[in-house]
Amino acid sequence: MISKSGQPLDKPLCSTAIDLSLSQGPAMAFRVDFADYEAEGVEHQHPQGQLILALHGAVTCTAESGMWVVPPDCGVWVPGGVPHSNKVTPNARLTYLFVEPGAAALPAECCTLSVSPMLREMIHRVADLSESGARDAHVDRLVRVMLDELALMPRERLELPVSDHPKIASIAAALLANPSDRRTLGQWAEHVAVSERTLKRLMVEQTGLSFGRWRRQLHLVIALRELAGGATVQQVAGDLGYESTTAFIVMFKKVLGTTPSRYFADRLLIAERASGSINQPSSMIST
């Protein structure tokens, strides 16, 4: 297999390693350790809807209308038939839940969903059963309850709206490549050869956000991915171009209501309680 850069891939692509034709019911699940697969997948699609859960590390899912990050205790929902690609941190361990078309009342668009400890454990149980090939009335009841619970999960604000408008796409690509770039709206307008007023209008029309709010959301999505991947708060603050770690923490708390350390500590605690490993030491985000 050859990567986009033309170099041979050392590991297989996860999207080609899972055989969805083996599904025998409304849903099936798989655990995936990215020590065994390439960290960045190619764009692909499948008839089944997909929920992506992060057991460890983080994954960024890119689809036609945005980017979604999957921190602990959340999942990204991708409806069936939607082209998408996933980029994971090197330490990522994920669970994929595939849902057959029409099997549950799930969103018609991509979104990040909060995942309760009970639902997480049901999904993991289905993954165990999918791997063993077991299928009986008990399994069917479990899957049905799991899908009913999934349909009730609230959405999280962890999306970065993107656009295929050439002006907006150019700015988005540049900031994703160098998120510390602090050019103002006026400077970006000059860069893409439009007036500042026109660019301001385009940003709102294409993303639903002002330029300032859109860039803050981009920083949040990148920060969650990098922190979940093991980076320190100081490293992330510097990589995003903040003048101080405190300024970054203020931004993070303004959006998510808590500090980075508390955000991940709370979610790791929930995950450990759900897995029954509360007495084991856990890794925390370094500040």
Side-chain angles (χ1 to χ4, degrees):
M1 182 69 71
I2 304 296
S3 69
K4 290 180 180 179
S5 64
Q7 298 298 316
L9 297 176
D10 295 328
K11 301 175 184 177
L13 294 170
C14 180
S15 58
T16 62
I18 296 175
D19 187 357
L20 297 179
S21 67
L22 298 176
S23 178
Q24 297 177 350
M28 63 190 305
F30 300 92
R31 287 190 179 92
V32 180
D33 188 336
F34 274 85
D36 303 322
Y37 296 99
E38 284 295 322
E40 186 165 7
V42 297
E43 186 176 84
H44 63 285
Q45 65 186 71
H46 32 72
Q48 298 86 353
Q50 181 180 7
L51 183 74
I52 305 166
L53 287 174
L55 305 177
H56 189 70
V59 56
T60 305
C61 178
T62 302
E64 55 189 2
S65 59
M67 291 177 58
W68 291 262
V69 66
V70 190
D73 94 323
C74 289
V76 164
W77 169 249
V78 181
V82 174
H84 61 283
S85 61
N86 301 320
K87 180 180 180 180
V88 304
T89 54
N91 63 339
R93 295 197 307 272
L94 310 179
T95 298
Y96 290 160
L97 173 68
F98 294 95
V99 181
E100 293 295 324
L106 294 167
E109 62 282 329
C110 296
C111 59
T112 301
L113 298 174
S114 180
V115 176
S116 69
M118 181 179 73
L119 176 58
R120 177 183 289 268
E121 287 307 297
M122 285 194 286
I123 293 172
H124 291 168
R125 179 60 176 151
V126 170
D128 292 339
L129 295 169
S130 295
E131 292 169 3
S132 69
R135 200 84 202 183
D136 56 22
H138 167 72
V139 176
D140 292 339
R141 289 193 298 270
L142 173 63
V143 169
R144 186 68 268 159
V145 173
M146 177 194 69
L147 293 177
D148 288 344
E149 284 295 310
L150 178 58
L152 297 176
M153 292 297 104
R155 297 191 185 192
E156 297 282 345
R157 298 175 297 169
L158 301 176
E159 172 193 355
L160 176 70
V162 296
S163 168
D164 58 4
H165 189 286
K167 305 293 186 184
I168 305 301
S170 173
I171 295 171
L175 283 173
L176 284 167
N178 180 22
S180 65
D181 192 325
R182 287 290 176 171
R183 274 181 280 184
T184 65
L185 179 66
Q187 290 169 326
W188 279 114
E190 183 177 355
H191 176 75
V192 297
V194 296
S195 69
E196 183 173 350
R197 182 177 179 179
T198 296
L199 183 58
K200 181 178 180 181
R201 174 180 55 80
L202 277 175
M203 284 297 303
V204 175
E205 287 179 355
Q206 295 293 318
T207 71
L209 300 173
S210 67
F211 176 72
R213 288 183 62 198
W214 183 88
R215 179 157 59 184
R216 185 178 69 184
Q217 191 70 6
L218 176 141
H219 284 171
L220 178 67
V221 167
I222 293 174
L224 287 170
R225 183 187 69 202
E226 297 305 309
L227 289 169
T232 66
V233 173
Q234 290 94 333
Q235 287 171 332
V236 173
D239 290 345
L240 295 180
Y242 285 84
E243 294 181 355
S244 67
T245 301
T246 299
F248 166 71
I249 292 174
V250 168
M251 180 281 293
F252 193 100
K253 188 173 182 179
K254 183 176 182 180
V255 179
L256 293 180
T258 189
T259 65
S261 295
R262 187 76 265 160
Y263 178 88
F264 281 93
D266 288 347
R267 279 149 180 78
L268 285 170
L269 185 62
I270 291 171
E272 288 173 348
R273 282 175 174 166
S275 63
S277 59
I278 187 64
N279 293 321
Q280 298 179 8
S282 62
S283 59
M284 295 295 182
I285 296 300
S286 301
T287 59

